[in-house]
Amino acid sequence: MSLTVLTVVGARPQFIKAAPVSHAFAAHGGIREILVHTGQHFDAAMSDVFFEELDIPPPAHNLEVNSLGHGAMTGRMLEKLEEVMIAEKPDWVLIYGDTNSTVAGALAAAKLHIPVAHVEAGLRSFNRRMPEEINRVMADHVSTLLFCPTQTAVANLKTEGITKGVHHVGDVMYDVTLAAVERGKGRSKILERNGLAPKTYAVATIHRAENTDDPQRFARVIQWLSDRGREMPVIMPVHPRTRKLMEKSGVNPTGVRLIDPLGYLDMAWLTHNASGVFTDSGGLQKEAYFHGVPCVTLRDETEWVETVEAGWNRLWTTAEYKPRRDITDYGSGDSSSKIASLIASSKT
Ligand code: UD1
């Protein structure tokens, strides 16, 4: 008997995470996936390119909700997702990560009594001022299946009283990275286009509200990047939120090469060949580790604590890395197929 899974995606990192799981569903057989794009990210460079490069089937529904405040954005998504879920009657709703699209998908499904499966469950920064932290906590507390990328995530859920339906499956982003390096090798011309030699430069990305919304904080982050730019070449693909802010405030990093957002293969190849990564992105912190590149995280805490414990990552507020070791938590590139099997074998 075939099972129907309605997958909700909306923001760039969700397209990346959904790709290997979609492929695992197709390989598993017996699972029909209906992909719903909330529309949160809509620029070709923030959305379409990922569908093309990662071979994700076009979404069955695009709700075109974007560029609104948190309440309006989440509210409109909730309303439209509910309509789609009523029409499609899925057996499961699958959500990813911690964005407004995640929490809207979780709430719409839970209220319709459709079981929710959450990929990247259990992550906590313990900073409730981050919109992502609220989204994570809310999503986890209404989920039936909770797919944790790390043991720390499992422990975080236990602390909140969630033990049922919790599975440590590893990190689907590791699955994607393995495939991307192989494909990027032959195809990406990102180094040539930017005149960069391998292991001579750092990659930077900044987009989190906690860094961009307070002008003083934003100026500090930009100054920190400018200081690094004096020490080595730094290349920075700029997220639309950050681009808007730079234009509005006139605050730009000096000595840092600003480029447009990159597709997945170019970004993976750029990171793979970098000598360092400076970022406030959760995904890129781990990708740096997957590529064997040290990272400095421009935040005051991280959900990916094992990257810091294992000496591959440090917060910008600390000077030293810990001694380096491998991280086993993220699995061996088979997290997506574990997720497909667990969904297929779970009773709804
Ligand atoms: C969202 C997520 C964040 C995630 C990030 C990945 C929430 C609360 N935040 O943040 O957790 O790390 O995605 O990128 O859900 N914009 C464009 N074009 C686009 C996308 C966005 O111009 O394709 C503009 C929007 O109009 C808005 C700004 O960028 O002005 C921010 O976009 P938004 O979707 O609100 O959140 P992100 O900062 O991308």
Side-chain angles (χ1 to χ4, degrees), residues 124-140:
R124 296 292 181 268
S125 65
F126 303 103
N127 174 1
R128 293 245 169 144
R129 292 185 61 82
M130 292 172 65
E132 292 85 0
E133 184 76 352
I134 306 296
N135 294 342
R136 290 179 192 126
V137 172
M138 301 291 290
D140 284 339

Side-chain angles (χ1 to χ4, degrees), residues 50-288:
F50 296 91
F51 283 81
E52 286 152 25
E53 284 188 351
L54 296 173
D55 268 333
I56 313 172
H61 304 267
N62 190 324
L63 310 181
E64 294 181 1
V65 181
N66 52 57
S67 308
L68 297 162
H70 289 288
M73 188 193 283
T74 313
R76 279 185 211 173
M77 285 176 185
L78 185 56
E79 194 178 349
K80 292 189 172 191
L81 281 167
E82 188 178 69
E83 278 171 26
V84 174
M85 288 177 195
I86 288 171
E88 297 282 8
K89 300 186 182 54
D91 299 297
W92 286 93
V93 165
L94 180 61
I95 53 169
Y96 289 89
D98 54 18
T99 72
N100 291 341
S101 300
T102 313
V103 76
L107 284 179
K111 298 244 172 168
L112 292 169
H113 310 139
I114 305 167
V116 177
H118 185 198
V119 176
E120 232 178 50
L123 294 184
R124 296 292 181 268
S125 65
F126 303 103
N127 174 1
R128 293 245 169 144
R129 292 185 61 82
M130 292 172 65
E132 292 85 0
E133 184 76 352
I134 306 296
N135 294 342
R136 290 179 192 126
V137 172
M138 301 291 290
D140 284 339
H141 281 260
V142 294
S143 290
T144 299
L145 277 176
L146 300 100
F147 298 123
C148 296
T150 62
Q151 289 291 357
T152 305
V154 174
N156 289 339
L157 290 175
K158 194 170 175 204
T159 308
E160 293 174 24
I162 306 174
T163 51
K164 228 177 120 202
V166 176
H167 301 273
H168 175 213
V169 294
D171 192 340
V172 293
M173 287 197 64
Y174 185 47
D175 303 12
V176 199
T177 303
L178 290 177
V181 172
E182 278 317 300
R183 289 177 76 188
K185 237 180 233 167
R187 281 167 56 178
S188 175
K189 295 283 174 276
I190 184 71
L191 300 194
E192 291 84 340
R193 277 210 309 276
N194 288 283
L196 295 168
K199 301 296 168 189
T200 61
Y201 63 89
V203 185
T205 76
I206 297 296
H207 75 278
R208 291 275 187 176
E210 58 189 302
N211 276 334
T212 58
D213 285 6
D214 169 2
Q216 278 179 1
R217 168 100 184 182
F218 187 58
R220 260 178 64 212
V221 167
I222 296 298
Q223 184 58 50
W224 190 95
L225 289 176
S226 301
D227 292 345
R228 300 293 82 67
R230 273 196 292 277
E231 297 163 1
M232 69 179 90
V234 178
I235 183 158
M236 179 171 176
V238 188
H239 184 282
R241 169 202 281 284
T242 313
R243 174 74 73 187
K244 277 183 202 163
L245 223 90
M246 285 177 176
E247 281 164 7
K248 203 171 119 204
S249 65
V251 176
N252 281 291
T254 48
V256 172
R257 183 158 349 144
L258 306 180
I259 58 171
D260 286 336
L262 294 176
Y264 192 71
L265 294 185
D266 278 345
M267 190 62 193
W269 197 235
L270 189 68
T271 308
H272 189 72
N273 287 289
S275 50
V277 165
F278 310 135
T279 191
D280 61 5
S281 150
L284 193 54
Q285 289 172 46
K286 272 175 305 151
E287 284 167 326

